[in-house]
Every structure is written in structure tokens, then in C-alpha cells.
């Protein structure tokens, strides 16, 4: 059996281990601690724009806290991009609220500003004003933020940016994660940088971040005994995870370049195969970290996305279909959806290729050779 090529595996730098050792040496084996404070500062200065950051146990926890602070309650409606990972939508359900899904547009694969407006108008006509809009930057590609923010501001609905996959990406020179009233990041094992598991809430409104830290540490009121006037959560990041995160921040710019180099490699490797289409950045306003390199397969030529995925599997190479849209998921059956078929078409034809920043040139060649072999017999 050939060695496994993963879709996206953790890639440690040189400082993570010494940071962990320092935490052991000083016995900061706890939630909170100096590395948590340091990691929050590192992230805030990387993002710029006067951001404040709360380091948390996961991106999902960050999104949950964002919705709580936007006062999302049972029966409220929250608009969410349909084409995404389920963690973008699950916290809506944690609150007993109703997700209203909106389809993607072709250029970025992210929320269509036109369909967003149609959705808002229709919800308003039914007497329901959505409490928040969750927009996602899939695979690192920026959503069309100018138009999304313009629509959201016009209807006075706060935006929560799900930038779980998009740390290091930017739109019009501004880092993703700095546009929404609040934004979330993820550092789980497959992300562009990882703390093994973890996430962060980001906002330029310090009050939100202070409140998030309070809620994430069991909502303890200021008192010598345990006193609570709010429901709390155990959502804080540990000092050990933050020690890893600080080491990862040292190499984040390299990781972005390495992931972008994967995309360029695949694009050049398949230049002779027009049936394999690439989601290029629509204009120079869009800068993607290329967390995952993704392609669309024109199956009119006889080779389907699934044929390629299975062929790669026989070579011990992991690849994945694009995210299955939330409006097609059994768990969200019956939720309102505003769409034009775009995310369904993308899901049918799209494949995520191995994209780790630690992939060797030989590994990328192995992937490309196997995919090219799928088209050998077919006239493209
Ligand atoms: C788009 C998106 N949103 C949210 C999450 C949730 O992040 P976490 O796994 O840190 O909870 C992820 C990744 O897992 C994601 O890809």
C-alpha cells in the first residue's frame, strides 16, 4: 500500500514544542494562562483593523457565543449560507432558532448578495426580521463582502463572518474576519493553522469580546464565592493549545504561500484538461489562502467527480466532494431556502484535492498523475 496522502493534515513549525515545554515548566496546564493572552494578541495584530480576540475551544463555540450575544432566541430566524460545513448552522439550532438558508453565487461559491436580499425581503413580508446573517468564506475564498455588507447594513441586520477556513485571506486588502459585527476562526486539525482543536471570536467591539470571555468561563460574577446571574459555558481555550497556536502564528504567512503553491501546481498540471475547472479569484480584490484546492469536473465528457475520488482512493489518496449544502441535509429539512440551484450544481461536480502545506512535490505529482490517468481514454 502506498503511503497515505491526506486532504489537509497538521503541519507544525519549530516553536510549538518549545512553547508547550515552557507551559509545562511553569505548570500552566490550565484553561487560560499567558499563552492564551499571547495568542489573542498575536491574532489581533495579524488581523489589524483594531480587532479584539477571545481564544475559545472551537470555532463552533465561537459562533454559538456570537449568536447568544446577538440575542438570538428560540423561534428567531438567522440567515445562513447554505453551502458550508454543518458547524456554520448548528449553533442556530442550539438556540432553538430557525436557519434560513441562502444559495451561493458562481464567482466565489459564497452567499449570493442578490439572493440574500430576496430572502430578507421575503422574511420581512412574513413578519419576521432575521436576527443575524452568517456568511462563510469557503475554502478560503472571500465572499463578495462589499455587497453583502451593503445589503446587511441597509436592513440593519448584523453579519457574523464564518472565517473558519479563511485565516490569511483578504478582500480589498483587508483581512477576512474583520468585516462582520463578529467573526469566527477555527484551529481544528485540518485548518491552515491548528491548535489541535480550538477557535476564536473576533470583533472590533471590545465589549463583545469581554462578554465572550465571561460567558466562556462559566459566567462567573465578580465575587469570592461562585455567583452566577447568567447561563455560562466551558468554551475557553487551554494554555497548552494556545502554546501550539503561538508557534503556528510564526509560520502562518508561509502556510498561506504553501497552500497557494498547491493551487498553482494543480492548475498548471491540468492546463491541458479543460474539463477540470478552477475557481480563480474573480478580481485582484480577492485573495484566497487556498486552504483547500478545489476543482469542478465537467462530467459531460464521461468522467465524473466520483470516478476521480474513487480512483484516488485506490492509491491511498484522500479527496472529498465539496460541502453538501445545508438545505439538502436531512437534519435541516423544512428550513426555508432561497436558491437558484448554484450550490447543488457545485456539490455535484466539485472535488477538494489534497492541499496540506506539508505536501511534497512528489506527493502532488502522484495526485496529478492519477487524475490525468482517469482522462486517458477520454477525448477532452
Ligand atoms: C466553515 C466552517 N465553519 C465552522 C467550523 C467549525 O470549526 P470548529 O471545528 O473549530 O468547531 C468549520 C470547521 O470545522 C468550518 O469549516
Amino acid at each position: 500500500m502506498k503511503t497515505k496522502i491526506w486532504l489537509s493534515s497538521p503541519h507544525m513549525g519549530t516553536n510549538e514544542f518549545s512553547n508547550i515545554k515552557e507551559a509545562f515548566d511553569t505548570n500552566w496546564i490550565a484553561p487560560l494562562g499567558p499563552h492564551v493572552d499571547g495568542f489573542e494578541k498575536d491574532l489581533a495584530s495579524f488581523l489589524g483593523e483594531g480587532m479584539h480576540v477571545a481564544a475559545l475551544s472551537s470555532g463552533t463555540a465561537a459562533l454559538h457565543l456570537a449568536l447568544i450575544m446577538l440575542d438570538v432566541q428560540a423561534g428567531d430566524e438567522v440567515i445562513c449560507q447554505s453551502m458550508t460545513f454543518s458547524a456554520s448552522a448548528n449553533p442556530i439550532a442550539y438556540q432553538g432558532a430557525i436557519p434560513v438558508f441562502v444559495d451561493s453565487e458562481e464567482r466565489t461559491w459564497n452567499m449570493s448578495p442578490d439572493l440574500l436580499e430576496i430572502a430578507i425581503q421575503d422574511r420581512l413580508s412574513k413578519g419576521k426580521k432575521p436576527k443575524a446573517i452568517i456568511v462563510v468564506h469557503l475554502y478560503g475564498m472571500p465572499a463578495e463582502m462589499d455587497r453583502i455588507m451593503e445589503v446587511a447594513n441597509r436592513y440593519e441586520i448584523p453579519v457574523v463572518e464564518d472565517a473558519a477556513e479563511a485565516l490569511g485571506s483578504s478582500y480589498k486588502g483587508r483581512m477576512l474576519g474583520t468585516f462582520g459585527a463578529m467573526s469566527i476562526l477555527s484551529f481544528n486539525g485540518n485548518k491552515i493553522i491548528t491548535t489541535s482543536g480550538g477557535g476564536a471570536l473576533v470583533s472590533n467591539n471590545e465589549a463583545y469580546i469581554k462578554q465572550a470571555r465571561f460567558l466562556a468561563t462559566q459566567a462567573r460574577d465578580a465575587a469570592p464565592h461562585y455567583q452566577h446571574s447568567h447561563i455560562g459555558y466551558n468554551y475557553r481555550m487551554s494554555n497548552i493549545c494556545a502554546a501550539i497556536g503561538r508557534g503556528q502564528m510564526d509560520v502562518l504567512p508561509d502556510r498561506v504561500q504553501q497552500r497557494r503553491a498547491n493551487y498553482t501546481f494543480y492548475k498548471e498540471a491540468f492546463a491541458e484538461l479543460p474539463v477540470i475547472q478552477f475557481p480563480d479569484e474573480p478580481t485582484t480584490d480577492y485573495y484566497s489562502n487556498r486552504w483547500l484546492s478545489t476543482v469542478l469536473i465537467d462530467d459531460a465528457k464521461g468522467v465524473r467527480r466520483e470516478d476521480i475520488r474513487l480512483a484516488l482512493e485506490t492509491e491511498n489518496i484522500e479527496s472529498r466532494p465539496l460541502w453538501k449544502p445545508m438545505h439538502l441535509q436531512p437534519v435541516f429539512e423544512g428550513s426555508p431556502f432561497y436558491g437558484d440551484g448554484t450550490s447543488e450544481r457545485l456539490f455535484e461536480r466539485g472535488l477538494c484535492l489534497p492541499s496540506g502545506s506539508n505536501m511534497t512535490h512528489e506527493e502532488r505529482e502522484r495526485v496529478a498523475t492519477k487524475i490525468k490517468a482517469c482522462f486517458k481514454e477520454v477525448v477532452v
Side-chain angles (χ1 to χ4, degrees):
M1 181 66 104
K2 293 199 173 136
T3 51
K4 176 100 178 175
I5 300 180
W6 298 96
L7 190 69
S8 178
S9 67
H11 185 186
M12 291 296 109
T14 48
N15 297 333
E16 290 82 348
F17 201 66
S18 51
N19 289 347
I20 293 176
K21 184 170 180 322
E22 190 270 344
F24 271 67
D25 290 344
T26 53
N27 205 27
W28 272 107
I29 318 293
L32 306 181
H35 283 306
V36 175
D37 300 343
F39 187 43
E40 289 177 346
K41 286 201 180 84
D42 293 348
L43 282 164
S45 85
F46 180 83
L47 293 168
E49 313 290 336
M51 291 297 133
H52 301 271
V53 176
L56 301 168
S57 54
S58 69
T60 312
L63 199 46
H64 189 199
L65 292 182
L67 297 185
I68 290 167
M69 290 187 289
L70 292 174
D71 193 34
V72 172
Q73 298 186 16
D76 284 341
E77 293 190 350
V78 174
I79 291 183
C80 183
Q81 184 165 318
S82 181
M83 190 160 181
T84 185
F85 180 48
S86 62
S88 305
N90 282 338
I92 302 170
Y94 300 166
Q95 289 303 98
I98 298 155
V100 174
F101 293 114
V102 169
D103 214 342
S104 292
E105 42 113 12
E106 295 278 352
R107 291 197 324 160
T108 66
W109 301 0
N110 292 314
M111 187 182 280
S112 154
D114 295 331
L115 292 171
L116 170 64
E117 180 151 20
I118 288 169
I120 294 172
Q121 285 176 348
D122 194 53
R123 299 328 288 172
L124 289 174
S125 77
K126 292 181 164 61
K128 281 273 193 182
K129 179 168 175 176
K131 274 279 183 73
I133 298 166
I134 300 172
V135 60
V136 189
H137 307 294
L138 275 190
Y139 308 116
M141 179 65 86
E144 214 178 311
M145 285 316 283
D146 272 359
R147 292 197 54 217
I148 300 273
M149 294 308 292
E150 188 277 318
V151 172
N153 289 339
R154 194 148 35 84
Y155 291 93
E156 298 181 332
I157 304 173
V159 167
V160 179
E161 257 184 287
D162 180 342
E165 304 176 359
L167 182 60
S169 299
S170 58
Y171 176 77
K172 295 196 169 173
R174 184 168 156 184
M175 288 292 175
L176 297 188
T178 67
F179 290 84
M182 283 178 262
S183 307
I184 70 113
L185 301 170
S186 167
F187 311 113
N188 90 20
N190 66 8
K191 293 297 183 289
I192 192 150
I193 61 165
T194 181
T195 57
S196 75
L201 187 77
V202 177
S203 179
N204 64 356
N205 182 344
E206 195 175 7
Y208 279 143
I209 298 304
K210 283 188 168 156
Q211 181 71 358
R213 291 188 187 124
F214 167 75
L215 293 172
T217 41
Q218 306 288 19
R220 285 182 62 186
D221 294 340
H225 54 275
Y226 283 89
Q227 173 84 15
H228 304 276
S229 22
H230 291 84
I231 296 294
Y233 302 84
N234 185 1
Y235 278 174
R236 225 21 182 137
M237 181 177 278
S238 87
N239 196 51
I240 299 296
C241 292
I244 303 173
R246 292 186 82 187
Q248 290 272 277
M249 285 306 287
D250 295 337
V251 291
L252 175 56
D254 296 342
R255 299 297 180 255
V256 173
Q257 290 316 316
Q258 287 152 338
R259 299 242 176 195
R260 286 179 63 86
N262 287 336
Y263 181 83
T264 306
F265 169 87
Y266 287 128
K267 209 173 161 198
E268 287 169 2
F270 303 134
E272 306 297 313
L273 287 171
V275 288
I276 302 183
Q277 292 145 15
F278 284 82
D280 283 337
E281 290 152 340
T283 68
T284 52
D285 288 340
Y286 297 76
Y287 183 82
S288 171
N289 67 7
R290 294 291 179 200
W291 170 57
L292 294 187
S293 288
T294 54
V295 289
L296 294 178
I297 309 298
D298 180 357
D299 56 12
K301 304 292 179 187
V303 179
R304 291 166 312 138
R305 182 277 312 280
E306 203 51 10
D307 299 328
I308 298 175
R309 193 186 69 76
L310 293 172
L312 290 171
E313 202 170 83
T314 63
E315 293 279 313
N316 213 13
I317 298 171
E318 186 185 21
S319 65
R320 289 255 176 93
L322 300 186
W323 297 124
K324 180 174 180 178
M326 291 304 112
H327 71 275
L328 301 179
Q329 299 286 356
V331 71
F332 292 120
E333 209 182 330
S335 297
F337 169 62
Y338 296 84
D340 60 9
T342 301
S343 60
E344 285 162 43
R345 281 195 299 278
L346 293 171
F347 171 61
E348 285 300 315
R349 296 174 49 212
L351 189 67
C352 303
L353 300 178
S355 301
S357 49
N358 49 4
M359 276 179 84
T360 63
H361 187 66
E362 290 66 36
E363 287 174 326
R364 292 194 305 212
E365 287 286 0
R366 245 177 81 195
V367 178
T369 305
K370 189 66 195 175
I371 293 178
K372 282 181 194 163
C374 297
F375 291 96
K376 272 262 161 64
E377 310 299 319
V378 184
V379 180
V380 293

